[in-house]
Amino acid sequence: MSAAAQDAAAPPPLTGGALVLGTLALSLATFMNVLDTSIANVSLPAIAGDLGVSPHQGTWVITSFGVANAISVPLTGWLTQRFGAVRLFTGSILLFVLTSWLCGFAPSLGWLVAFRVMQGLVAGPMIPLSQTLLLSSYPRSKAGTALAMWSMTTLVAPVVGPLLGGWITDNIAWPWIFYINVPVGLAAAAATWALYRKRETPTRKLPIDGIGLALLVVWVGALQIMLDKGKELDWFHSGLIVVLALVALVGFLFFLAWELTEKHPVVDLRLFGRRDFALGTATLSVAYCLFFGNVVLLPLWLQQWMGYTATAAGMALAPVGLMAIVLSPWVGRNVTRFDPRAMATGSFLLFALILWMRAQFTTQTDLWHILLPTLIQGAALALFFIPLQSIIMSGLSPDRMPAASGLSNFARITAGAMGTSIATTLWDDRATLHHAHLVEQMGGPGQPQTADAWTRLAAAGLSPEQIAVQLNRLVDQQAFTRAVDDVFFGSAVLFLLLIGLVWFTRRPARGAAVDAGGAH
């Protein structure tokens, strides 16, 4: 079908109050979903203690959701064709509300993990479809504005999650990190159904690609568990991690071969045959890997080595949303006027600057110097997500957009999981190296500086064992601070290298940065 015919058959864009309410409902659903990927992180000690398990066992609360979510996101395209975007999205929200409620009532870790798996599975289509439905709500010329609204919720929620989760756990109780989804989800589902039920997308009966689905579950499940548990199990020194890596690799190769030859694939990998989709998704994924890895690392360093509480660390990260909220609407309005590749370049230059500033952190760095790069990062985020999404979606027909959104979001979410694992592992490895160098420089108690510190601590009434512990803590603090600086600096260099990759994509046609955006 031609673009003109598709436009003629599509429902008109929403206007006035319906547009505002539709944008709010879709954004709330997205925010609730993304929030749940990070809100439980700071609540793990409370959850583990309450359910009578170790903190290590408690991490399955995070892993189970991540694995199930990663499996279901790329299925969005197939499910949308089978059931329709509006029915699937509304159904996903309602099931997400139900599973959230069950998570809060879970009497044991086994039940909580089982409910988190269900929650992750039903959450998968929500983010890609919120993007698709939002684009269909706006005129094509305003597609950038639609993406701006969507990206704000997607990028701000991971930062707000730990802050909100910490406050709820400290002041109410951990089940409420799940219960808060119930009223939000019901409101979002009611508004979505009221506004969009007459704007349902065409459906068709498709055969179930059972083999493709089974291979997807195997390789994605193995990869996600490997990424979540790798650091805890010392990576490839663990037999389990080696087995998971082999299963993920072999499963992926079989999945690739099967899906590219299957007539009705469960995931439309042929989208990667489009240069802009392939390179845009690769750029977005690597950039999100770097961004998310550093988002996880900064509060860990602040809490473990700078004496910040969970709430204080969250507050130090909270200003990232300010500039993003202010600038995103401007970027959305102008992404069709300016070259999105230039906008993405500006974002990567800002990210490089921010991470270089963070690479100068010391154990004496005050709150203002921690907040300043965080404030600037909001501008980098506004320029990062919208232009790259416009490149990825450019030139796609409406019927392929749910599949494209699902696939690009799957790549981004998986890259984020990789970023977390890589950043925390590198941080530990570099800290071990710096610790050894610092101890070597200090020498033994006979060295003047060490002897002076030893004498002063002994005069303060500390025993030799306490002095050794205190000095080791100081060395560790310096080592982990130097290590986090190394990760920040390396990430800055990688952001500069990414600039070259984005310029291999084509500039979307002026005024059609997200072609077919309003044609659903």
Side-chain angles (χ1 to χ4, degrees):
M1 187 186 291
S2 69
Q6 286 165 343
D7 282 343
L14 296 175
T15 56
L19 181 60
V20 173
L21 186 60
T23 302
L24 183 64
L26 295 171
S27 299
L28 269 178
T30 305
F31 189 81
M32 174 180 71
N33 184 315
V34 179
L35 198 69
D36 255 50
T37 62
S38 62
I39 196 171
N41 292 24
V42 292
S43 308
L44 277 184
I47 294 171
D50 200 33
L51 296 178
V53 296
S54 71
H56 280 318
Q57 289 174 301
T59 58
W60 281 103
V61 174
I62 309 296
T63 304
S64 55
F65 181 88
V67 171
N69 192 236
I71 288 167
S72 62
V73 168
L75 298 175
T76 304
W78 183 86
L79 289 169
T80 302
Q81 291 186 71
R82 186 71 181 79
F83 299 106
V86 180
R87 275 191 290 271
L88 178 59
F89 184 72
T90 310
S92 294
I93 298 175
L94 291 173
L95 288 170
F96 190 83
V97 166
L98 175 63
T99 51
S100 297
W101 183 72
L102 290 170
C103 284
F105 274 108
S108 66
L109 180 66
W111 279 110
L112 180 56
V113 169
F115 294 143
R116 282 286 276 176
V117 167
M118 294 179 203
Q119 190 186 38
L121 286 172
V122 300
M126 285 169 63
I127 292 178
L129 286 181
S130 67
Q131 185 181 23
T132 304
L133 291 173
L134 203 55
L135 285 169
S136 77
S137 307
Y138 284 73
R140 183 175 296 187
S141 59
K142 301 282 186 184
T145 305
L147 277 177
M149 302 297 133
W150 185 83
S151 68
M152 276 193 287
T153 54
T154 309
L155 293 170
V156 173
V159 180
V160 175
L163 181 62
L164 186 61
W167 186 87
I168 288 172
T169 304
D170 290 343
N171 294 282
I172 309 174
W174 69 261
W176 282 92
I177 66 175
F178 299 112
Y179 292 153
I180 59 167
N181 291 334
V182 175
V184 175
L186 290 175
T192 301
W193 187 249
L195 290 168
Y196 291 92
R197 68 179 185 274
K198 292 182 180 175
R199 302 167 63 88
E200 186 59 276
T201 57
T203 59
R204 57 196 178 112
K205 290 199 184 299
L206 293 170
I208 296 173
D209 175 18
I211 294 176
L213 180 59
L215 289 169
L216 178 75
V217 169
V218 168
W219 83 263
V220 173
L223 178 66
Q224 282 289 323
I225 295 170
M226 183 190 88
L227 291 172
D228 273 14
K229 295 294 177 185
K231 184 170 175 289
E232 181 188 322
L233 300 175
D234 198 19
W235 288 105
F236 294 104
H237 293 101
S238 161
L240 176 61
I241 296 298
V242 172
V243 170
L244 287 170
L246 287 171
V247 169
L249 178 61
V250 174
F252 172 71
L253 292 174
F254 274 99
F255 174 76
L256 201 64
W258 179 266
E259 292 296 282
L260 288 173
T261 53
E262 170 66 16
K263 188 178 179 183
H264 297 287
V266 74
V267 178
D268 187 5
L269 295 179
R270 295 177 186 89
L271 283 162
F272 284 109
R274 302 175 63 92
R275 188 173 90 186
D276 289 346
F277 180 85
L279 292 176
T281 300
T283 307
L284 176 68
S285 299
V286 175
Y288 193 77
C289 170
L290 295 170
F291 161 71
F292 203 74
N294 285 290
V295 161
V296 170
L297 206 56
L298 183 59
L300 283 177
W301 172 68
L302 290 174
Q303 288 178 73
Q304 292 179 19
W305 301 106
M306 295 294 283
Y308 283 60
T309 63
T311 305
M315 290 300 292
L317 286 174
V320 73
L322 296 177
M323 291 283 277
I325 289 167
V326 170
L327 282 177
S328 286
W330 178 87
V331 176
R333 284 194 303 272
N334 291 283
V335 73
T336 56
R337 291 177 54 208
F338 302 119
D339 190 336
R341 298 172 301 177
M343 286 183 161
T345 298
S347 169
F348 294 162
L349 287 171
L350 278 175
F351 269 122
L353 171 66
I354 292 153
L355 289 160
W356 177 81
M357 291 168 72
R358 286 179 175 162
Q360 315 308 311
F361 285 171
T362 68
T363 53
Q364 307 302 314
T365 299
D366 58 25
L367 180 60
W368 167 245
H369 285 92
I370 289 167
L371 282 175
L372 182 59
T374 305
L375 273 169
I376 301 170
Q377 186 168 284
L381 287 176
L383 290 166
F384 157 56
F385 219 91
I386 304 161
L388 285 174
Q389 282 290 342
S390 73
I391 290 168
I392 290 167
M393 294 295 183
S394 66
L396 287 171
S397 58
D399 61 308
R400 299 192 82 185
M401 286 186 72
S405 182
L407 200 48
S408 63
N409 275 289
F410 164 70
R412 177 180 61 82
I413 292 165
T414 305
M418 289 182 176
T420 302
S421 295
I422 293 166
T424 51
T425 301
L426 280 175
W427 186 37
D428 276 356
D429 289 350
R430 296 294 296 175
T432 303
L433 183 70
H434 284 299
H435 188 281
H437 288 167
L438 287 166
V439 170
E440 192 179 317
Q441 289 168 21
M442 284 174 63
Q447 290 290 326
Q449 285 180 320
T450 310
D452 180 53
W454 197 277
T455 303
R456 279 189 284 112
L457 290 169
L462 270 68
S463 68
E465 292 80 12
Q466 289 172 321
I467 293 170
V469 169
Q470 182 71 15
L471 289 176
N472 189 63
R473 170 74 186 178
L474 290 170
V475 171
D476 271 344
Q477 186 187 30
Q478 291 291 339
F480 276 92
T481 300
R482 291 186 182 188
V484 85
D485 288 349
D486 291 345
V487 176
F488 290 149
F489 185 78
S491 300
V493 172
L494 288 172
F495 265 115
L496 291 175
L497 294 175
L498 268 182
I499 292 171
L501 184 59
V502 80
W503 285 95
F504 280 103
T505 62
R506 286 182 289 257
R507 178 179 180 172
R510 188 179 287 271
V514 189
D515 196 35
H520 236 308

